[in-house]
Amino acid sequence: AQTPVKVTVTGAAGQIGYALLFRIASGQLLGADVPVKLSLLEIPQAVKAAEGTAMELDDCAFPLLSGIEVTDDAGKAFDGANVALLVGARPRTAGMERGDLLQANGGIFGPQGKAINDNAADDIRVLVVGNPANTNALIAQQHAPDVPAERFTAMTRLDHNRALSQLAAKLQVPVTEIMKMTIWGNHSATQYPDLFHAEVGGKIAAEQVDEAWLRDTFIPTVAKRGAAIIEARGASSAASAANAAIDHVFDWVNGAEWTSAAIPSDGSYGVPEGLISSFPVVSRGGKWEIIQGLEIDAFSRERIDASVRELEEERAAVRELGLI
Ligand code: NAX
């Protein structure tokens, strides 16, 4: 039988964790023929709740689930891990300054990056979901010098899926008719969902909608969808975020055509090298590759630059704080 793949999930007792773990255990993260073992990392106060989730996972008798451990010890959680989903983070609370937020998350993602560096399997792949996701991924990566930099990624797939869904509704086509969607930049309100390369029925999407809708409705609706979900549901996106994490890792491991992921920049499209920024990507041979050679018009350039500038500011702030 195949050796199980070890998948570590941090923040396992949280709401995304609850939406994610059952889908991983059922085979949706890696494939319907790949056995998995789960490691659930939580803070001490939430270990008991994570153990309750582990009991429910047991009760599903998933054929592919070969074991579950629950721990508050990062060294143990990441020991031999092949996939790490870093979901647990310190949320921004009322009155919290950006510096405080970055500091608190540096205290989580620095040590977790080091624990990954020292304990994970050689093929470790890391997806950061916890916000601010791009910069948390950068912090973790900078504490893992022995792991290839490209193994640290951040999630913009939820933004990508939101963009697909908004455009499909506008044009009244199935989401499967939309190709080449891209989210550029930071997973934040500055992100840029790009319709100038997206295609519907083989034609450029931006030419099938009016400019005012694109600029004043589509872009802000996608970028502010997280807040709209909180407003409607009274809680932040959970199942859709878990779904996007599944999409990201499945595609990374199994290959994919054009999608969006935040990965370390190699300098493409004027994004400073090293920033973990969202790009149009394909997945080949277990690696993300940035799609090259796209023409970027002035409208897109301005928006990509604004989001990248925010990432640079976040990087400068965490450097200033000594977090990287
Ligand atoms: P919850 O507050 O429900 O759960 C977070 C869990 O993380 C808690 O159980 C907490 O005990 C745990 N945790 C905190 N510090 C930890 C540490 N050092 N080690 C291990 N576990 C730790 O939040 P949830 O709704 O699940 O969201 C999790 C994160 O995802 C948040 O940062 C949120 O902002 C972020 N999101 C990111 C999205 C994206 O597209 N990238 C979208 C959805 C979501 O908003």
Side-chain angles (χ1 to χ4, degrees):
Q2 208 179 330
T3 325
V5 176
K6 178 166 173 175
V7 180
T8 304
V9 178
T10 76
Q15 50 152 8
I16 295 176
Y18 196 76
L20 185 58
L21 290 164
F22 297 85
R23 294 189 59 187
I24 299 172
S26 75
Q28 292 179 295
L29 185 75
L30 297 164
D33 53 352
V34 183
V36 291
K37 57 184 182 193
L38 280 169
S39 181
L40 279 48
L41 179 65
E42 261 294 352
I43 53 175
Q45 312 86 283
V47 161
K48 190 166 178 230
E51 283 169 352
T53 304
M55 288 162 69
E56 283 202 76
L57 285 159
D58 284 337
D59 294 349
C60 295
F62 286 118
L64 289 172
L65 183 58
S66 76
I68 314 173
E69 68 181 10
V70 181
T71 180
D72 60 5
D73 176 347
K76 190 174 171 214
F78 294 118
D79 185 31
N82 308 103
V83 176
L85 297 165
L86 307 188
V87 179
R90 174 70 167 81
R92 188 191 287 262
T93 39
M96 201 176 190
E97 298 293 333
R98 187 175 69 170
D100 301 333
L101 180 74
L102 294 172
Q103 185 86 56
N105 280 295
I108 296 172
F109 288 87
Q112 289 183 358
K114 179 158 192 338
I116 288 169
N117 188 68
D118 296 349
N119 299 284
D122 287 344
D123 68 348
I124 181 70
R125 287 183 172 86
V126 182
L127 171 63
V128 176
V129 175
N131 282 319
N134 302 52
T135 295
N136 288 341
L138 182 70
I139 294 170
Q141 181 204 62
Q142 294 294 305
H143 287 79
D146 303 332
V147 177
E150 70 202 34
R151 305 285 185 76
F152 284 84
T153 65
M155 191 166 92
T156 51
R157 186 60 172 267
L158 177 54
D159 309 301
H160 178 98
N161 288 343
R162 287 166 171 166
L164 290 177
S165 148
Q166 292 298 320
L167 181 64
K170 172 72 175 174
L171 295 178
Q172 301 200 309
V173 296
V175 285
T176 48
E177 294 232 338
I178 305 172
M179 303 294 162
K180 305 185 180 178
M181 182 64 78
T182 305
I183 303 292
W184 297 88
N186 199 2
H187 168 69
S188 76
T190 67
Q191 66 175 263
Y192 174 54
D194 176 359
L195 294 188
F196 292 92
H197 298 98
E199 293 176 4
V200 181
K203 290 187 302 202
I204 295 297
E207 290 165 9
Q208 300 178 57
V209 296
D210 60 84
E211 203 202 310
W213 180 83
L214 191 164
R215 190 186 55 232
D216 302 329
T217 302
F218 174 73
I219 295 174
T221 299
V222 173
K224 295 179 190 160
R225 185 71 165 177
I229 298 289
I230 294 173
E231 173 70 23
R233 209 172 82 86
S236 57
S237 314
S240 56
N243 178 69
I246 297 264
D247 283 350
H248 178 113
V249 174
F250 186 92
D251 284 356
W252 193 359
V253 171
N254 294 301
E257 296 309 318
W258 191 312
T259 184
S260 304
I263 66 172
S265 177
D266 60 359
S268 294
Y269 297 105
V271 180
E273 205 178 328
L275 283 181
I276 297 184
S277 186
S278 191
F279 287 100
V281 292
V282 292
S283 167
R284 298 270 185 268
K287 291 183 176 185
W288 292 119
E289 291 172 15
I290 298 170
I291 295 166
Q292 297 295 338
L294 304 179
E295 270 185 50
I296 308 294
D297 69 4
F299 181 93
S300 297
R301 187 76 262 168
E302 190 185 316
R303 285 163 178 80
I304 294 169
D305 287 352
S307 195
V308 168
R309 213 175 304 123
E310 184 182 53
L311 285 172
E312 287 186 280
E313 287 165 11
E314 289 182 13
R315 180 168 70 179
V318 294
R319 276 192 181 137
E320 183 97 348
L321 292 164
L323 299 173
I324 60 172

